[in-house]
Amino acid sequence: MGRGHPECPARLAAIQDRLIAAQLWDFLLHVDAQPATWEQLARVHDADYLDRLATLVPAQGYVHLDPDTAINPYSLNAAYHAAGAGVLAVDLVMQGRANNAFCAVRPPGHHAEHDRAMGFCIFNNIAVAARHAMEAHGIERVAIVDFDVHHGNGTEDIFCHDERVLMVSIFQHPFFPYCGDVPRGPNMLNVPMPRASTGVQFREAVTEKWLPALDAFAPQFIFISAGFDAHLEDDMSSMGLVEADYAWVTRQVRQVAKKHAQGRIVSMLEGGYDLSALGRSVAAHIKELSGL
């Protein structure tokens, strides 16, 4: 994204370092993704948008897709692989080669709408993965859980009238992208939270709103837009979650998946920009996904 941008390569290094320090790294199956195909991306993105992106890649330097989102000569290839990670994760889980999966990817995806990049996001990785589960594997009901501090407007844009999908989200409001307080479809359970909300309010919202809706919907596969920028130490927001909150919500989602979805979960990295907090939070998330 450019020098000094919070969506930086050090994010993935911080995650790897923490997983090694927590003695989780060697426990995990590590798989490198192939790039998503044009057809897989076109399940959620406008064809003209996909074609236009290819013409915008610079030979050198940066081109801005929006004020916050830039690409360099290598960005589009990275974005293809980020989306492809979700596709591969779905395949591995459906084939029984993994119980669940966490995709440590950049760039993130949940702000990318069907026809535009936004908020550091080029392709909507979680939407590509969810649609792949439905179209390639015959999954009839998918739940998307989004606990990033910013509302996943792109995911809502893509799925807001798809009755096969239930999206539950919690986000700081008012805050970028300044929407979500009014859901765009009956399958969108958006829970705006005021600044300075802590794990107490977060857990109440999950318990009272998310969990009953998820149980009633009975998803056959659960996807997590795993953003960790609501952490107390993250300067990108004004909320007060800590690692224990991320571990707790992961445990709740895992219980829903065990009950309705044969344990099937694919989680994909979204936000999280304080490197230490990000590494610790992802480690807590993965530990819960692993049942450790």
Side-chain angles (χ1 to χ4, degrees):
M1 295 284 181
R3 184 178 298 275
H5 199 288
E7 209 297 279
C8 62
R11 298 179 67 226
L12 296 188
I15 290 172
Q16 179 174 336
D17 289 348
R18 186 62 191 180
L19 291 176
I20 292 171
Q23 299 184 334
L24 291 169
W25 184 261
D26 291 336
F27 176 79
L28 304 172
L29 169 67
H30 301 275
V31 183
D32 291 330
Q34 296 298 311
T37 66
W38 193 95
E39 290 76 13
Q40 289 163 348
L41 294 170
R43 290 171 178 158
V44 303
H45 288 296
D46 182 78
D48 290 340
Y49 169 66
L50 297 177
D51 292 341
R52 186 170 71 254
L53 273 177
T55 70
L56 296 175
V57 178
Q60 59 183 1
Y62 295 87
V63 168
H64 278 267
L65 304 179
D66 81 350
D68 299 315
T69 312
I71 57 172
N72 65 41
Y74 310 100
S75 300
L76 196 56
N77 185 49
Y80 273 107
H81 280 80
V87 170
L88 177 59
V90 168
D91 291 342
L92 291 174
V93 170
M94 291 301 298
Q95 293 162 6
R97 295 172 58 193
N99 294 325
N100 52 49
F102 175 76
C103 303
V105 295
R106 300 180 49 248
H110 74 153
H111 293 309
E113 298 185 347
H114 79 284
D115 61 353
R116 67 166 175 159
M118 184 177 176
F120 312 167
C121 304
I122 299 172
F123 301 133
N124 195 304
N125 305 321
I126 207 79
V128 172
R131 191 60 60 78
H132 180 70
M134 292 185 282
E135 300 300 333
H137 293 284
I139 296 295
E140 296 178 351
R141 294 183 308 282
V142 161
I144 298 175
V145 172
D146 190 329
F147 51 71
D148 191 279
V149 79
H150 305 95
H151 176 52
N153 61 289
T155 312
E156 183 173 39
D157 173 68
I158 291 166
F159 289 125
C160 61
H161 296 296
D162 190 335
E163 62 184 13
R164 300 174 297 172
V165 179
L166 170 68
M167 180 178 176
V168 298
S169 64
I170 286 176
F171 49 92
Q172 182 178 326
H173 185 81
F175 200 40
F176 179 89
Y178 304 102
C179 62
D181 54 319
V182 179
R184 294 177 56 185
N187 59 329
M188 297 288 131
L189 179 55
N190 302 344
V191 186
M193 305 195 76
R195 67 191 312 274
S197 296
T198 67
V200 173
Q201 291 81 29
F202 174 72
R203 295 185 190 210
E204 286 177 352
V206 169
T207 301
E208 296 173 6
K209 298 182 179 181
W210 278 16
L211 296 182
L214 288 167
D215 194 48
F217 186 69
Q220 297 171 322
F221 208 125
I222 299 179
F223 293 86
I224 302 176
S225 270
F228 300 94
D229 39 6
H231 196 284
L232 178 65
E233 298 171 20
D234 200 308
D235 291 337
M236 287 284 283
S237 70
S238 302
M239 286 182 63
L241 303 191
V242 295
E243 299 93 292
D245 298 312
Y246 292 119
W248 177 85
V249 72
T250 306
R251 189 157 58 249
Q252 308 311 307
V253 173
R254 192 162 175 256
Q255 289 172 358
V256 175
K258 282 184 177 181
K259 180 177 180 181
H260 296 293
Q262 301 178 39
R264 295 186 289 231
I265 298 173
V266 167
S267 175
M268 303 196 74
L269 180 65
E270 300 286 2
Y273 304 100
D274 180 274
L275 298 181
S276 176
L278 173 63
R280 301 193 316 268
S281 299
V282 171
H285 179 58
I286 288 178
K287 189 174 182 179
E288 287 294 337
L289 285 176
S290 303
L292 298 175

